């Protein structure tokens, strides 16, 4: 996995360390040294040095010779989300949307040909796939991904779709590349996307774009339902209007937040005699 960079300033050791962190997922919460080395494509001594370094930094812990991530890893992703100001803005709106619909709602952004979840408010319902912050899915198989893909230029779209997914899920075979492009054109025109059991059986969702202060689509927000409980008609005519309003409110507040001057003022403590 390491050694992908071609630039003169590429730091291979850093890339290898990130590859080690990326080896751990929901199906591999605890891994041996050999498993990490194999998954990252590294020699055992190299993998060992990287794991021990990550352990010393607090990102990895070891128990009985097996390694696992620590919660400190979340700081890497949350620093990104927090720097956008997006989560603080979106959270009350997501909570309100969930209260109105009784269904889970999430926000995601595009990463290669996948979407990555950056915010989520869920309800306790049985859905075929578990979703957490940082979960990634193939963009073309999700409503949020379709919204984000539809915002790309033709050249950008071609480049993104040429990238392999890192979600570890089988590709959706119910649609040709030409049919996907036609669907994305419709989504761009109408402003929302539907995914009806394309990601997994029983999972149905609708999504709308979230824009920044320049009007650029930077994220997508969805409502996810169980197909056995909620029809497409209910999803589109019952939940979609609330979703569109919520996504618009988040976009407006995010634009306002971005337009404000952000200055750090040094606090000076005065002493009194």
């Amino acid at each position: 996995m390491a050694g992908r960079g071609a630039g003169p300033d590429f730091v291979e050791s850093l890339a290898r360390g990130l590859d080690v962190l990326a080896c751990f997922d929901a199906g591999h919460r605890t891994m041996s040294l050999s498993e990490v080395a194999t998954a990252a494509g590294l020699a055992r001594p190299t993998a060992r040095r990287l794991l021990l370094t990550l352990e010393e930094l607090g990102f990895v812990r070891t128990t009985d010779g097996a390694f696992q991530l620590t919660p400190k890893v979340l700081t890497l992703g949350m620093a990104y989300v927090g720097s956008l100001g997006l989560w603080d803005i979106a959270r009350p709106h997501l909570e309100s949307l969930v209260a109105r619909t009784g269904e889970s709602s999430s926000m995601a952004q595009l990463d290669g040909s996948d979407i990555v979840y950056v915010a989520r408010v869920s309800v306790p319902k049985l859905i075929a796939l578990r979703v957490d912050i940082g979960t990634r899915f193939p963009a073309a198989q999700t409503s949020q991904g379709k919204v984000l893909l539809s915002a790309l230029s033709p050249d950008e779209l071609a480049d993104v779709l040429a990238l392999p997914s890192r979600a570890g899920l089988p590709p959706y075979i119910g649609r040709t590349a030409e049919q996907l492009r036609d669907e994305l054109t419709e989504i761009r025109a109408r402003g929302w996307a539907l995914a009806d059991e394309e990601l997994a059986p029983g999972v149905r969702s609708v999504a709308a774009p979230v824009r920044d202060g320049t009007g650029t689509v930077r994220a997508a927000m969805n409502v996810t339902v169980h197909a056995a409980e909620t029809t497409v008609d209910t999803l589109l005519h019952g939940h979609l209007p609330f979703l569109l309003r919520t996504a618009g409110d988040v976009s407006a507040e995010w634009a306002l937040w971005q337009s404000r001057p952000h200055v750090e003022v040094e606090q000076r403590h005065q002493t009194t005699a």
Side-chain angles (χ1 to χ4, degrees), residues 74-176:
L74 291 173
T75 63
L76 300 175
M78 293 312 294
Y80 167 66
V81 175
S83 69
L84 297 174
L86 183 56
W87 169 236
D88 288 334
I89 293 169
R91 176 168 50 189
H93 293 284
L94 283 172
E95 292 172 346
S96 177
L97 178 61
V98 170
R100 283 178 174 271
T101 64
E103 304 290 352
S104 298
S105 181
S106 306
M107 292 186 65
Q109 293 185 295
L110 198 62
D111 181 23
S113 62
D114 296 329
I115 60 166
V116 177
Y117 283 73
V118 298
R120 179 167 173 81
V121 177
S122 61
V123 296
K125 290 193 176 185
L126 293 177
I127 296 292
L129 294 173
R130 177 175 174 175
V131 177
D132 298 301
I133 303 301
T135 295
R136 64 171 58 238
F137 291 131
Q141 295 172 231
T142 69
S143 60
Q144 295 181 94
K146 291 181 195 177
V147 165
L148 295 167
L149 291 174
S150 72
L152 301 178
S153 69
D155 288 342
E156 290 172 330
L157 178 62
D159 290 341
V160 166
L161 293 180
L163 297 172
S165 170
R166 291 183 284 157
L169 295 178
Y172 179 63
I173 58 175
R175 171 184 54 216
T176 66

